[in-house]
Amino acid sequence: MIIKDAQFVISNTDYRKCPDDGKPEYAFIGRSNVGKSSLINMLTNRKGLAMTSSKPGKTQLINHFVINNEWYLVDLPGYGYAQRGKEGREQIRKIIDSYILKRTQLTCLFLLLDCRHEPQKIDMDFLNWLGEEGVPFVIVFTKTDKISKGRLADNIAAYTARLQETWEELPTIFYTSSEHRLGGDEILNYIDKINKTL
């Protein structure tokens, strides 16, 4: 798939106020500072489409971008940002949970994980929650250019081992580097393949 057009449409805190034209939605989520905005900009080939920041917790809304006038790329708030405070974290959690569980247009969720770290409890809890709720999702490892191939292999093996403790079948996994433009074509082809079955 080639993205010819990517336009920001709307930001919301309420999934019920999101676009209602029936287009499929592919949402991206991850812990704060996982490289989500950089990945979205790389996928769409638009440098400033999603706002990148060195400060975690920048995205606090459900952001819809229409792609080729055919489907929506949805930028969700990051989870687990400690400096928001308990009340702020709870508010963000409600925004995330209601969108993921109640948004019928959600076709697939892309869960971003920083490949530089071994499995984190917060990520595993979120991942297992998605499984329990029957949410269709894939895993996207980000920042693969930031560590050695050996360390990357070790961390992926650690994640796979953890997943196999509770999962009979592993989710689809992508490996990306926004800086080196790796993995973008694979993700877009995956979306295109799903769209052709809808």
Side-chain angles (χ1 to χ4, degrees):
M1 179 201 300
I2 295 171
I3 292 184
K4 296 173 183 173
D5 188 54
Q7 302 287 336
F8 169 75
V9 178
I10 195 168
S11 292
N12 275 301
T13 56
D14 187 342
Y15 75 96
R16 290 166 293 197
K17 294 178 182 175
C18 295
D20 63 354
D21 55 11
K23 288 184 177 71
E25 296 181 2
Y26 296 87
F28 289 71
I29 193 168
R31 213 145 37 104
S32 297
N33 222 18
V34 74
K36 180 163 52 72
S37 298
S38 296
L39 180 67
I40 289 170
N41 292 337
M42 184 262 280
L43 289 173
T44 58
N45 206 21
R46 304 288 193 281
K47 199 171 183 181
L49 192 71
M51 295 301 291
T52 58
S53 172
S54 57
K55 184 181 178 184
K58 191 77 174 170
T59 308
Q60 300 188 32
L61 299 166
I62 303 166
N63 298 304
H64 275 71
F65 303 92
V66 65
I67 308 298
N68 293 345
N69 203 32
E70 294 172 353
W71 54 278
Y72 288 107
L73 188 157
V74 183
D75 183 8
L76 292 174
Y79 55 85
Y81 180 46
Q83 284 179 263
R84 278 202 185 105
K86 190 176 179 183
E87 196 174 309
R89 285 199 306 273
E90 185 63 20
Q91 185 182 357
I92 293 293
R93 189 188 65 79
K94 284 179 180 174
I95 292 170
I96 292 169
D97 289 7
S98 61
Y99 174 85
I100 289 174
L101 296 179
K102 298 177 181 177
R103 184 71 177 161
T104 55
Q105 291 90 333
L106 175 61
T107 305
C108 185
L109 184 74
F110 288 77
L111 173 60
L112 277 57
L113 302 173
D114 189 333
C115 73
R116 296 174 299 177
H117 307 298
E118 292 182 357
Q120 308 284 305
K121 184 180 186 301
I122 188 170
D123 290 324
M124 296 306 297
D125 287 348
F126 189 78
L127 195 152
N128 287 324
W129 174 73
L130 292 175
E132 287 162 9
E133 295 292 341
V135 177
F137 77 98
V138 300
I139 293 172
V140 179
F141 284 105
T142 62
K143 306 185 181 185
T144 58
D145 58 302
K146 305 292 186 190
I147 59 172
S148 68
K149 287 184 179 178
R151 176 87 187 280
L152 174 63
D154 289 345
N155 287 354
I156 300 304
Y159 262 106
T160 303
R162 284 289 298 276
L163 286 168
Q164 286 172 335
E165 290 172 12
T166 50
W167 290 73
E168 287 180 18
E169 192 177 329
L170 297 183
T172 298
I173 296 174
F174 295 98
Y175 305 93
T176 66
S177 162
S178 299
E179 206 167 297
H180 294 174
R181 304 193 60 79
L182 294 174
D185 288 344
E186 288 82 356
I187 289 174
L188 292 176
N189 289 340
Y190 184 81
I191 291 172
D192 192 40
K193 194 174 175 183
I194 295 174
N195 282 340
K196 284 175 177 171
T197 67
L198 300 176

